[in-house]
Amino acid sequence: YFRYIQKKEIMLLINFKNYPSAFNQGEVLASKVEELSKELSLKLFFSRPVSTLSKYTSNSCVMSQHVDIGEGPKTTGLVTAETLKMIGVKSTLLNHSEHNVNVSVIESTIAECKKNGVDVMLCFKNIGELDLFTKFEPTYYLYEPSNLIGGTDNIKEKEPEVILKIREVLPHGKFFIGAGINSESDFNKAYEMGVDGIGLASIVMGSDNPLEKLTQIISWEKEYRK
């Protein structure tokens, strides 16, 4: 897989999920993400709990954790692409491992998001799903291998062949990995295997000090780009 090695600008997603730290440290973390994004010319996203989205719409890094299909006023309780556009959120996750939707809904939702200028990061858990999803042409794809989510196993040992297959299918600039990154070594190897971006959640939000952990991970990025 070392044919893919290159030093390049990389992308990071921090998914706040609904961890307590997303609420009691959310503002500090959001400000840090925005600051680092500008300082490093790095494409950083932070995916906020839907209930807090409106507080962060001035931050260009903010991403919704989900989007629902639907248009117009008769959408009570839904987070639609139209709503995201109105409040200024320009990107969203869809089909996250904790919020799966069926294929027909994915197709329609991505179409609505495109109409409203909302980028979609579409999550998938295996090559079979990816084969179904590529025709919908979301802005980004986030690979979430079920056997690595929330664990300590690393991507370089468990998934190298799968990463290569995904890299061969997806255009450059679109491929995120969302599990199996637990150390600086994992971080570096993921990029060497060809991923364009890394999605992180529990390693940051579940740590004793999320701000310190986020800063540490950004330091890995700085070292990688040297």
Side-chain angles (χ1 to χ4, degrees):
Y1 56 74
F2 289 103
R3 58 187 160 149
Y4 290 114
I5 292 180
Q6 56 180 315
K7 292 298 178 79
K8 58 184 178 179
E9 184 171 86
I10 61 179
M11 300 183 284
L12 288 176
L13 161 69
I14 312 299
N15 188 354
F16 286 22
K17 294 192 176 183
N18 281 333
Y19 279 96
S21 54
F23 299 93
N24 57 38
Q25 297 183 50
E27 291 189 34
V28 173
L29 288 166
S31 295
K32 187 65 173 179
V33 169
E34 186 172 38
E35 172 195 326
L36 290 168
S37 179
K38 291 175 180 176
E39 175 189 331
L40 301 172
S41 297
L42 172 67
K43 198 164 187 70
L44 272 168
F45 301 98
F46 65 97
S47 187
R48 294 287 315 178
V50 170
S51 60
T52 67
L53 270 181
S54 61
K55 292 176 63 177
Y56 298 96
T57 54
S58 63
N59 189 316
S60 61
C61 303
V62 71
M63 173 182 279
S64 177
Q65 290 183 352
H66 177 69
V67 61
D68 296 297
I69 189 169
E71 293 183 290
K74 294 185 178 180
T75 51
T76 299
L78 302 182
V79 181
T80 66
E82 191 175 46
T83 303
L84 294 179
K85 178 183 178 181
M86 285 191 289
I87 65 173
V89 174
K90 296 179 174 60
S91 57
T92 184
L93 289 170
L94 180 63
N95 197 45
H96 187 271
S97 60
E98 296 171 6
H99 199 152
N100 292 141
V101 293
N102 67 48
V103 175
S104 62
V105 171
I106 289 172
E107 181 176 18
S108 300
T109 306
I110 290 177
E112 283 190 8
C113 285
K114 287 181 178 180
K115 186 167 69 175
N116 286 280
V118 176
D119 292 336
V120 173
M121 185 178 289
L122 182 60
C123 305
F124 67 100
K125 63 178 180 288
N126 53 50
I127 292 288
E129 282 194 342
L130 179 62
D131 289 341
L132 287 174
F133 294 167
T134 50
K135 62 185 175 183
F136 305 143
E137 298 183 337
T139 310
Y140 306 106
Y141 298 80
L142 176 64
Y143 176 44
E144 299 182 295
S146 303
N147 59 318
L148 296 180
I149 292 174
T152 57
D153 287 336
N154 62 68
I155 194 70
K156 68 180 184 290
E157 291 181 0
K158 297 291 184 178
E159 295 276 325
E161 298 86 2
V162 179
I163 297 299
L164 284 180
K165 288 179 183 176
I166 295 170
R167 178 73 284 166
E168 289 168 359
V169 170
L170 294 181
H172 283 275
K174 290 181 172 286
F175 173 24
F176 279 69
I177 179 73
I181 308 296
N182 299 296
S183 69
E184 184 173 5
S185 175
D186 299 342
F187 183 97
N188 292 340
K189 288 296 183 183
Y191 283 111
E192 289 171 2
M193 285 190 287
V195 305
D196 301 304
I198 291 174
L200 302 168
S202 58
I203 187 175
V204 176
M205 304 307 293
S207 68
D208 293 336
N209 189 329
L211 182 59
E212 184 179 281
K213 193 65 180 181
L214 174 61
T215 304
Q216 178 191 36
I217 288 167
I218 294 298
S219 76
W220 300 346
E221 189 277 336
K222 286 181 179 178
E223 287 299 311
Y224 183 75
R225 288 205 292 181
K226 282 184 178 178

